[in-house]
Structure formats: C-alpha cells, structure tokens
Amino acid sequence: MDIILVTTIISSLFLVIGIAEPLADRLRVPYTVILAILGMAIATAALFFLRTDLTNALNPMAEAILGLPIRSNVFLYVFLPTLLFQATLGMNLRRMLDDWVPILVLAVVAVVVATFSVGYALSWVSALPLAACLLVGAIVSTTDPSAVVSIFRSISAPQRLTRIIEGESLLNDAAAIALFGLFMGFVMLGVPDPDLGNALAQFPLLIFGGALTGWLAARAAVMLMSWFGRFELAQISISVALPYLAYIGAEQMIGASGVIAVVAAGLTLNLTGPSRLPPQAWANLREVWDLLSHWAGALIFILAALFIPRLLEDVRLSDFALIAVVIVAAIAARIVVLFGLLPLLTLLRASPAVNRPYRVAILWGGLRGAVTLALALAVTESVRVPVEVKRVVGILATGFTLFTLIVQGTSLRWVITKLGLDRLSPIDEALSRQVVAVALQTVREDVARTTENYDLTRDIVRSEAKRFGERLDDAVKEAEESADILDRDRITLGLIALAGHERDTILDRVRERTISARMAEQVLTDSERLIESARTSGRSGYQRAAKRSVTYGRSFRLAVFLHNRLKISLPLARMTADRFEFLLSQRLILRDLDTFIDGRIRRIHGRRVADLLQELLSRRIESVETALEGLRLQYPGYAEELERRFIRRTVLRMEEREYDTMRDDGLIGAEVYTTLSQGLAKRRSAADDRPRLDIAPQRTELVRQLPLFADLDDATVKQLGRAFQTRYVNADDVLIRKENAAKRVFFIVSGAVELQVAGQTWRLGPGEMFGQMAILMQRPRRAQVRAIAPSTLLMLDEDRFRRLLQRSDALQHAVRASAEKRGISPDRLMSDVKEATPPEATAG
C-alpha cells in the first residue's frame, strides 16, 4: 500500500479525532459514541464508493481505508497496553486500597457472572457449542466506563463511587481477556464442552505469573529511570517501553496474562515513581501518558468501528434474536451484581452504600467498546475457528456493542436527568446562593478600588455600579431566603471546603517542591479522605478521618514486631522516617488553614461555624504535635534535620523564583539562566536526599529521658535499654483489661492514657507508669487502661521491674506517690516488695 496514502488516511483520522470531542460536547452524547458513529460512517462511505459506478476517482482512497493493515493483534499489542498503563498511572492507589474489596469482587464476580449468564443463555437458544457461547460471554463482559465516569464527574458524583467504577473496569478487562484466552483455546482445539475445572485451574499462572512479570519489569525500569535523574526525556522513553515489554514478556515467554502484567507494572510505577523521580519529571511523564492514552483510545475506537460494516455483512434475521438474548442476559447479569451483590457488600460493611439512582446510572452506563470489538475481530481472523462460529461471534459482539453505544450511550444523559442526579441538593443550592452573595460583595469592593485607581468616567462608573448593585441586591435577597440551612449542614459544608483548601495548599507546596512528592501522595490521600468522610458522615466522619491520619497502621506494627523479635530493622527505620516527614509536612499545612477559616468560612457560614471549625483544626494540630513529640523523644535531632531540609528546599525555591524573574525581565540571558539552573538542580538534588534514621539506640535514649530513671548509672541504663520493649498504641486502644493477670509494667514516653478503677478515673502522661500495683500486690488487675492519644510506651516484665525497684530511689518514690493517690498504704506496699524480693534479685 502506498505510504503516502496511508499517511494521508492516518492524519485524516487524527483530524476526525480532533473534531469528535467538541462535536460530542455540543450534541451532549458520550465521546466514544461519536467516534463509533464517525468510524462506521467512514467505512460505509468507503464501501459505497467502492461498489458504486457513479465515480471511480475515490476508489483508491476507499480501497486504502478498507484495506488498512490493521488486525486484532494491533489492538491487543499496541493500543490496549497504552490504555491500561495510563489508567493505572492515573489512579490514586492509596484510595483504591480503601475500596479494594468492592472493586475486586465487582470486577471478578461481574465478569464471571456475565460470561456464564450470556454463555448458557446462548447455548440454550442456539446451535453453537458451549465453548463458543462462553467465548461470546467473555467478549461482551468488558465494560468501558469512560462515558458514565465523565458524566458522573460533570455532576459532582461521590468520588468514591467514580473510583470504584474505574477500578472495576480496569480489572474486569484483565479478567475478561484472561477468560477469552481460555475459551478461545477450547474453540480452536474443537472442544465443544470444556472442563471448566481444568480451565479455571490455569488461572493462577495467568494471574500471578503476569503480576510477577509486571512487577519485575517495573522495578527494573524504575531503577534505570532513577539513574537518569537529569535526563527527563530518557525517563519518559523508558516508561513508554515498559508496558509493551511487560505485555510481550508475559504473553510470549511464560504464557501468563499480558494484561495483568501491564496493570502490575503500572501500579508498581505509580507507587514507586513519585519518590524516585523529580516531581516535574513525574508530572511531565503523566502528561505524556495522558496524551498517548487519548490518542490510543480514540484510534482504537475509530479503527474498530471501521470494521463494523464488514462484520455485519452476513447478518441474518435469526441473528437479531440471538443479539437480543445477549442483551437481556448481559443486562440481567449486571442487575444481579448491582442490585444483589453490591447491597450485600454494603450490609457486610465491605463497600460504600450506593444509592439506587446511581446504581441505575451505572447499569445503563455499562457501555461496551473497542476492547469488545478487538476481541471479536481476533476471533474472525483466526483460521482455526470454524467459519460459522466466526460469523456468529462477530455479529453478536458487534450487535451488542452497537446497542450499548447507540441506545444506551445516546440516552445515558437523559436517564441521569430523569434520575435527578444532575441537580444540586437543597443544601448545595442554598449554599451556592450564599456564596454568590459573598463573592459579589467582595467584587464590589475590588471594583470600587479599581475605578478610583484608573480615574474612569463618573457617569459610566455610576451606571455600571447601579446595574451591579441590582444584581447584588437580588443575590442577597436569595441568600436571605435560603438562610435556614441547619448548623449541622453548614458545619459539613465548611469541613468539605476546609479539606478542599487543604488539598490545594498541598498541591501548591508540591509545585514549590517544599514537600517531597512521596509525602505529597500521602497527605493528598488524607485530604481526599477528609473530603469524602465529611461529605458522607459530616463532623463525625471528618474527625474519624483526621484521627486515622496520625494512627499507627498494621504495617507499622508489623515492622515493630520484625525489629523487636527478629532484629530486622530496615522496614521500621523506613516507616518511622516516613512518619516523621509526614507529620512535619502535615503540621506545616495545618497551620496555614487558620486564615482560610477566618476569611472565607466566617463570611459564608458565620462566626459560630467558623469557631467550631477552628476548634476542630486546633484538635488536629494538637494530635499531630503529640504524635510528633513522641518521635522527637525517641529520635532526638532527627526532626531538626528534617526541618533544616525543609528550609533548604524553601530557600532553593525562592532562589529559583528570583532567577525566573530576572530572565523574564531580560536581566540575564538564556546561557546565564541555564548555568544557574544547572547549579540549582545539583543543590536541590542534595537537598532532596532524606537524612538516614538510625533506630538502634532508641530505647536507651528513651530511658535516659524518663525522670523515673534519672538516678541510674550509665551501665544500668544500657541494660534497661536492652530489657525494655517498645509499644506504639493508637487512641482508644485498650492496654489493660480488668481481671487479667499482671505481667508487665508500662512507662509512658509520649501521649496519654486513662485509668479507670473502682468508679474513679485518672489520666497519666509522659514520664508516668501504670500496671505496677497489680504486680506489687500480687493480684489480678482491677483497673482498665486505654490510650487517649497516639502513645509510645516502654514495657518491662515483672522480674526486671522488681529488681529495678530495689535499686532506684526515684522509682520507689513514684510507686509511693501512686499508691497514696489510690488510697493504698505505701509503707505496707514497699514492705511487701522487700519481703517478696529474693536476695539475688536485690543484688541486680
């Protein structure tokens, strides 16, 4: 085929892609529907001009369009890895992990239910073998969420709902293509009724083999990209090679799923890339992949649509009945998942509650697209598939895709309107009126200053001021009419706005590079969690999310176990350094939110709501300070090193801003600017390196800082450092329960605990101990102790505590004071100790 002709066609397709998006927006239909219609129109026109005698001038062009060297392997090996890889890079994985249960269950179960629902329905009403029917079910079980997601975003649907749909779609593509490969093998081998047990037994190799291949490929790519720190284009080029090499390696070398390999590679790069690459390089890499994905998604749709007229050439009247069966079975399977499985997951608290209108929108928005057509095309191209099976599979897959695009796609926005999902809630509507009134009042003040500064004509100013004043009066009147918003709702809206401003502040700090990209991802995740928790549960949800941000997670506690029991310290050192940096970053960000509350929140929601938000913010700052203080006590000097690093980053950012200003003002030329920027980049690279945290001496240092052990010599302190065990607890964790046997004494390094015994309550803070009374009195515990803040504790067993008590006057004094506070005779208690302690224990 003439290269000039092919180039002309491809460039013309890019022109069609450029026209399709604004056309879809104007017609208010999904973008993919317009692409499919345009692709079918081009193919139909080409067939018409090729077969008509009206003109022969366009025959070469028509033949070139219909004879493009595009086969199914181009879709599967060129376009599909691009789409999957970009989708994983665009995900917020920390938030995805919050919803991994509904995403995984919906993706895998939905594909299996749809595959077998369609497959068995077809086998009952057609002469096709069961393997071919299940193959059709696998082909039509993939969903393209782009239409429903774009509409959900335009109507401000809950982010969590959108995230679940995106995650489900990504994983159900992988599961559907894996099932397609299995059933395609049976069809090509001529096995009419496959043994499903043996088929499913191959799944572990497909899934885990693909995941391992993708992970290894991504780790190697990240290592290579980190070596080329100053060569941004080289890093982007390596990222472009990664999904294709992972896909081909998994498919051709070990027989695993290439789709799973691409997804695993993208997830690994998403998790490790921000911390290993410069922020600007990572941002540019994401932008490049967004563009590649846009082109790939459009081309795969429009090229697949070119084959639709050809796939439907041999359609028969009886085929329409089979298409109807596929439609009914697929929709029924989707109904089972959305209205049966999803509510069940909600009852089990494994999934967020999804309102019925949203479930209806998801049902009707389950469009099929290019992946379905590409898989159908792969069947029709195979020489080992029977001719009749190829014909029926191509027609059914194409007919079902056209139904979802033309019928569901074009009516999706109408359905959403009928469901009322495109309207603001009464609270949001009332809030919008108040926001308009406040904004217009601010604008009036700014305009008045502007007219004075520029000495404009008074008549013009007066007439425009009158016009603007009328609009302002109307806005104020509407705001007063809607002033009956409940305080509870105002608090919720204020918390959402506060968390949104927190997110914007984080993004500004990341752009200025005063916060590392690694920490930015975590603090951004927390801010998004705050927004959604406030939106769904109001004040209590916001407080739970804020509390979660400073708690010790399971992974941290596992790292502590590895350090204490197995002497594996690397995970704990890394997580502790991350926690240090995260708390410092969060403290800096929270201190910037006061101005926002005093300015915007107070003007829109009033003084009472602003004061309450100020109180909630103060509690967050206090909890962060408490958690940070615990780390400072354990690792003195490390927080100061991180603060020095922050100052260096801030200075470098200011220096860079000065160089940019001088260049823009023409004070320095391009050569000088480049030289200065290179020197700045070297200093920034050094400032980005986080200081190493040595956790080896932590317990010894903690012992030295506790007043109870101030009278001990250095040798005893070192022995205690080896004897103590460290325990990290979160607020509300129960540390001691009533009637439990007394085995340990606890010393509070940081945080606070609450002790309840005999109807009385005491609060203990840093430097105090608890648990000693039950040991000294040799009876079961009568108190219950719980943490009331994230706390760091040191634990000592009974024998060591008794020996320590004999040699420490300060500890004896503390025990006496604690006994007096609880109404116990300290002299009797200490005499019991001396009598119960053997001579060798007192000797040390």
Side-chain angles (χ1 to χ4, degrees), residues 434-456:
Q434 292 200 338
V435 168
V436 169
V438 172
L440 290 181
Q441 290 173 357
T442 304
V443 170
R444 179 178 62 179
E445 298 170 1
D446 294 340
V447 169
R449 287 193 296 268
T450 301
T451 54
E452 291 175 1
N453 293 337
Y454 289 96
D455 195 22
L456 300 178

mmCIF file of all heavy atoms in Angstrom, residues 434-456:
data_model
loop_
_atom_site.group_PDB
_atom_site.id
_atom_site.type_symbol
_atom_site.label_atom_id
_atom_site.label_comp_id
_atom_site.label_asym_id
_atom_site.label_seq_id
_atom_site.Cartn_x
_atom_site.Cartn_y
_atom_site.Cartn_z
ATOM 1 N N GLN A 434 -25.616 31.704 48.839
ATOM 2 C CA GLN A 434 -24.849 32.485 49.803
ATOM 3 C C GLN A 434 -23.441 32.776 49.282
ATOM 4 O O GLN A 434 -22.900 33.858 49.506
ATOM 5 C CB GLN A 434 -24.768 31.732 51.128
ATOM 6 C CG GLN A 434 -26.123 31.637 51.819
ATOM 7 C CD GLN A 434 -25.992 31.358 53.295
ATOM 8 O OE1 GLN A 434 -24.979 30.846 53.727
ATOM 9 N NE2 GLN A 434 -27.003 31.703 54.066
ATOM 10 N N VAL A 435 -22.844 31.804 48.613
ATOM 11 C CA VAL A 435 -21.508 32.015 48.050
ATOM 12 C C VAL A 435 -21.533 33.133 47.016
ATOM 13 O O VAL A 435 -20.637 33.985 46.977
ATOM 14 C CB VAL A 435 -20.986 30.705 47.433
ATOM 15 C CG1 VAL A 435 -19.744 30.967 46.597
ATOM 16 C CG2 VAL A 435 -20.680 29.693 48.522
ATOM 17 N N VAL A 436 -22.576 33.147 46.174
ATOM 18 C CA VAL A 436 -22.706 34.206 45.167
ATOM 19 C C VAL A 436 -22.817 35.568 45.846
ATOM 20 O O VAL A 436 -22.168 36.546 45.445
ATOM 21 C CB VAL A 436 -23.925 33.945 44.257
ATOM 22 C CG1 VAL A 436 -24.225 35.166 43.396
ATOM 23 C CG2 VAL A 436 -23.661 32.735 43.381
ATOM 24 N N ALA A 437 -23.619 35.645 46.913
ATOM 25 C CA ALA A 437 -23.787 36.922 47.601
ATOM 26 C C ALA A 437 -22.477 37.406 48.206
ATOM 27 O O ALA A 437 -22.102 38.584 48.063
ATOM 28 C CB ALA A 437 -24.858 36.787 48.692
ATOM 29 N N VAL A 438 -21.731 36.511 48.867
ATOM 30 C CA VAL A 438 -20.449 36.892 49.470
ATOM 31 C C VAL A 438 -19.454 37.289 48.391
ATOM 32 O O VAL A 438 -18.723 38.285 48.520
ATOM 33 C CB VAL A 438 -19.903 35.731 50.328
ATOM 34 C CG1 VAL A 438 -18.481 36.036 50.795
ATOM 35 C CG2 VAL A 438 -20.811 35.493 51.523
ATOM 36 N N ALA A 439 -19.414 36.514 47.297
ATOM 37 C CA ALA A 439 -18.474 36.810 46.226
ATOM 38 C C ALA A 439 -18.761 38.171 45.597
ATOM 39 O O ALA A 439 -17.839 38.957 45.325
ATOM 40 C CB ALA A 439 -18.532 35.707 45.166
ATOM 41 N N LEU A 440 -20.027 38.479 45.376
ATOM 42 C CA LEU A 440 -20.377 39.753 44.753
ATOM 43 C C LEU A 440 -20.060 40.929 45.666
ATOM 44 O O LEU A 440 -19.670 42.008 45.195
ATOM 45 C CB LEU A 440 -21.860 39.757 44.374
ATOM 46 C CG LEU A 440 -22.256 38.833 43.214
ATOM 47 C CD1 LEU A 440 -23.744 38.947 42.926
ATOM 48 C CD2 LEU A 440 -21.461 39.147 41.958
ATOM 49 N N GLN A 441 -20.216 40.742 46.969
ATOM 50 C CA GLN A 441 -19.835 41.811 47.890
ATOM 51 C C GLN A 441 -18.337 42.085 47.833
ATOM 52 O O GLN A 441 -17.887 43.231 47.847
ATOM 53 C CB GLN A 441 -20.261 41.435 49.314
ATOM 54 C CG GLN A 441 -21.773 41.465 49.532
ATOM 55 C CD GLN A 441 -22.151 40.927 50.895
ATOM 56 O OE1 GLN A 441 -21.299 40.485 51.650
ATOM 57 N NE2 GLN A 441 -23.446 40.927 51.185
ATOM 58 N N THR A 442 -17.549 41.023 47.741
ATOM 59 C CA THR A 442 -16.096 41.193 47.611
ATOM 60 C C THR A 442 -15.749 41.869 46.293
ATOM 61 O O THR A 442 -14.883 42.752 46.231
ATOM 62 C CB THR A 442 -15.402 39.831 47.710
ATOM 63 O OG1 THR A 442 -15.773 39.197 48.935
ATOM 64 C CG2 THR A 442 -13.891 39.981 47.660
ATOM 65 N N VAL A 443 -16.438 41.447 45.231
ATOM 66 C CA VAL A 443 -16.190 42.046 43.911
ATOM 67 C C VAL A 443 -16.531 43.530 43.921
ATOM 68 O O VAL A 443 -15.815 44.358 43.332
ATOM 69 C CB VAL A 443 -17.014 41.305 42.835
ATOM 70 C CG1 VAL A 443 -16.979 42.055 41.508
ATOM 71 C CG2 VAL A 443 -16.485 39.895 42.647
ATOM 72 N N ARG A 444 -17.602 43.914 44.598
ATOM 73 C CA ARG A 444 -17.982 45.327 44.659
ATOM 74 C C ARG A 444 -16.865 46.168 45.285
ATOM 75 O O ARG A 444 -16.531 47.255 44.794
ATOM 76 C CB ARG A 444 -19.274 45.492 45.463
ATOM 77 C CG ARG A 444 -19.728 46.948 45.589
ATOM 78 C CD ARG A 444 -21.019 47.076 46.333
ATOM 79 N NE ARG A 444 -20.886 46.582 47.706
ATOM 80 C CZ ARG A 444 -21.906 46.602 48.583
ATOM 81 N NH1 ARG A 444 -23.083 47.062 48.220
ATOM 82 N NH2 ARG A 444 -21.724 46.142 49.806
ATOM 83 N N GLU A 445 -16.272 45.669 46.351
ATOM 84 C CA GLU A 445 -15.177 46.389 46.997
ATOM 85 C C GLU A 445 -13.974 46.510 46.062
ATOM 86 O O GLU A 445 -13.356 47.575 45.965
ATOM 87 C CB GLU A 445 -14.779 45.671 48.291
ATOM 88 C CG GLU A 445 -15.913 45.622 49.331
ATOM 89 C CD GLU A 445 -15.575 44.702 50.489
ATOM 90 O OE1 GLU A 445 -14.454 44.134 50.467
ATOM 91 O OE2 GLU A 445 -16.423 44.538 51.383
ATOM 92 N N ASP A 446 -13.641 45.418 45.368
ATOM 93 C CA ASP A 446 -12.494 45.447 44.456
ATOM 94 C C ASP A 446 -12.740 46.377 43.275
ATOM 95 O O ASP A 446 -11.837 47.108 42.840
ATOM 96 C CB ASP A 446 -12.190 44.026 43.957
ATOM 97 C CG ASP A 446 -11.716 43.110 45.075
ATOM 98 O OD1 ASP A 446 -11.259 43.639 46.108
ATOM 99 O OD2 ASP A 446 -11.795 41.881 44.909
ATOM 100 N N VAL A 447 -13.968 46.355 42.744
ATOM 101 C CA VAL A 447 -14.285 47.220 41.596
ATOM 102 C C VAL A 447 -14.222 48.685 42.010
ATOM 103 O O VAL A 447 -13.750 49.548 41.256
ATOM 104 C CB VAL A 447 -15.676 46.857 41.027
ATOM 105 C CG1 VAL A 447 -16.135 47.909 40.022
ATOM 106 C CG2 VAL A 447 -15.628 45.488 40.367
ATOM 107 N N ALA A 448 -14.693 49.003 43.211
ATOM 108 C CA ALA A 448 -14.650 50.393 43.679
ATOM 109 C C ALA A 448 -13.206 50.888 43.734
ATOM 110 O O ALA A 448 -12.900 52.014 43.314
ATOM 111 C CB ALA A 448 -15.307 50.500 45.054
ATOM 112 N N ARG A 449 -12.300 50.057 44.239
ATOM 113 C CA ARG A 449 -10.887 50.453 44.284
ATOM 114 C C ARG A 449 -10.311 50.590 42.880
ATOM 115 O O ARG A 449 -9.524 51.497 42.602
ATOM 116 C CB ARG A 449 -10.083 49.429 45.094
ATOM 117 C CG ARG A 449 -10.327 49.512 46.597
ATOM 118 C CD ARG A 449 -9.293 48.708 47.338
ATOM 119 N NE ARG A 449 -9.397 47.279 47.026
ATOM 120 C CZ ARG A 449 -10.131 46.435 47.743
ATOM 121 N NH1 ARG A 449 -10.813 46.861 48.783
ATOM 122 N NH2 ARG A 449 -10.170 45.154 47.423
ATOM 123 N N THR A 450 -10.719 49.712 41.970
ATOM 124 C CA THR A 450 -10.195 49.758 40.602
ATOM 125 C C THR A 450 -10.621 51.033 39.894
ATOM 126 O O THR A 450 -9.820 51.690 39.212
ATOM 127 C CB THR A 450 -10.684 48.532 39.814
ATOM 128 O OG1 THR A 450 -10.246 47.348 40.489
ATOM 129 C CG2 THR A 450 -10.134 48.539 38.396
ATOM 130 N N THR A 451 -11.898 51.423 40.031
ATOM 131 C CA THR A 451 -12.378 52.633 39.356
ATOM 132 C C THR A 451 -11.687 53.881 39.894
ATOM 133 O O THR A 451 -11.420 54.834 39.160
ATOM 134 C CB THR A 451 -13.897 52.760 39.534
ATOM 135 O OG1 THR A 451 -14.220 52.699 40.929
ATOM 136 C CG2 THR A 451 -14.621 51.630 38.804
ATOM 137 N N GLU A 452 -11.366 53.874 41.207
ATOM 138 C CA GLU A 452 -10.644 55.014 41.767
ATOM 139 C C GLU A 452 -9.222 55.084 41.241
ATOM 140 O O GLU A 452 -8.706 56.163 40.920
ATOM 141 C CB GLU A 452 -10.638 54.910 43.299
ATOM 142 C CG GLU A 452 -12.013 55.113 43.942
ATOM 143 C CD GLU A 452 -11.970 54.893 45.434
ATOM 144 O OE1 GLU A 452 -10.856 54.611 45.950
ATOM 145 O OE2 GLU A 452 -13.018 54.979 46.090
ATOM 146 N N ASN A 453 -8.581 53.957 41.128
ATOM 147 C CA ASN A 453 -7.181 53.935 40.692
ATOM 148 C C ASN A 453 -7.036 54.389 39.245
ATOM 149 O O ASN A 453 -6.046 55.041 38.884
ATOM 150 C CB ASN A 453 -6.597 52.532 40.860
ATOM 151 C CG ASN A 453 -6.476 52.136 42.326
ATOM 152 O OD1 ASN A 453 -6.416 53.001 43.189
ATOM 153 N ND2 ASN A 453 -6.455 50.849 42.597
ATOM 154 N N TYR A 454 -8.015 54.032 38.397
ATOM 155 C CA TYR A 454 -7.886 54.336 36.974
ATOM 156 C C TYR A 454 -8.644 55.612 36.552
ATOM 157 O O TYR A 454 -8.663 55.944 35.371
ATOM 158 C CB TYR A 454 -8.382 53.144 36.143
ATOM 159 C CG TYR A 454 -7.433 51.960 36.217
ATOM 160 C CD1 TYR A 454 -7.659 50.921 37.118
ATOM 161 C CD2 TYR A 454 -6.309 51.897 35.404
ATOM 162 C CE1 TYR A 454 -6.798 49.845 37.205
ATOM 163 C CE2 TYR A 454 -5.440 50.825 35.480
ATOM 164 C CZ TYR A 454 -5.681 49.800 36.379
ATOM 165 O OH TYR A 454 -4.816 48.741 36.461
ATOM 166 N N ASP A 455 -9.287 56.289 37.504
ATOM 167 C CA ASP A 455 -9.934 57.567 37.229
ATOM 168 C C ASP A 455 -10.879 57.477 36.032
ATOM 169 O O ASP A 455 -10.776 58.241 35.059
ATOM 170 C CB ASP A 455 -8.864 58.647 36.986
ATOM 171 C CG ASP A 455 -9.473 60.053 37.050
ATOM 172 O OD1 ASP A 455 -10.553 60.196 37.666
ATOM 173 O OD2 ASP A 455 -8.858 60.968 36.473
ATOM 174 N N LEU A 456 -11.807 56.508 36.085
ATOM 175 C CA LEU A 456 -12.749 56.318 34.984
ATOM 176 C C LEU A 456 -13.851 57.371 35.031
ATOM 177 O O LEU A 456 -14.072 58.041 36.035
ATOM 178 C CB LEU A 456 -13.367 54.918 35.069
ATOM 179 C CG LEU A 456 -12.367 53.744 34.986
ATOM 180 C CD1 LEU A 456 -13.099 52.431 35.131
ATOM 181 C CD2 LEU A 456 -11.600 53.775 33.657
#
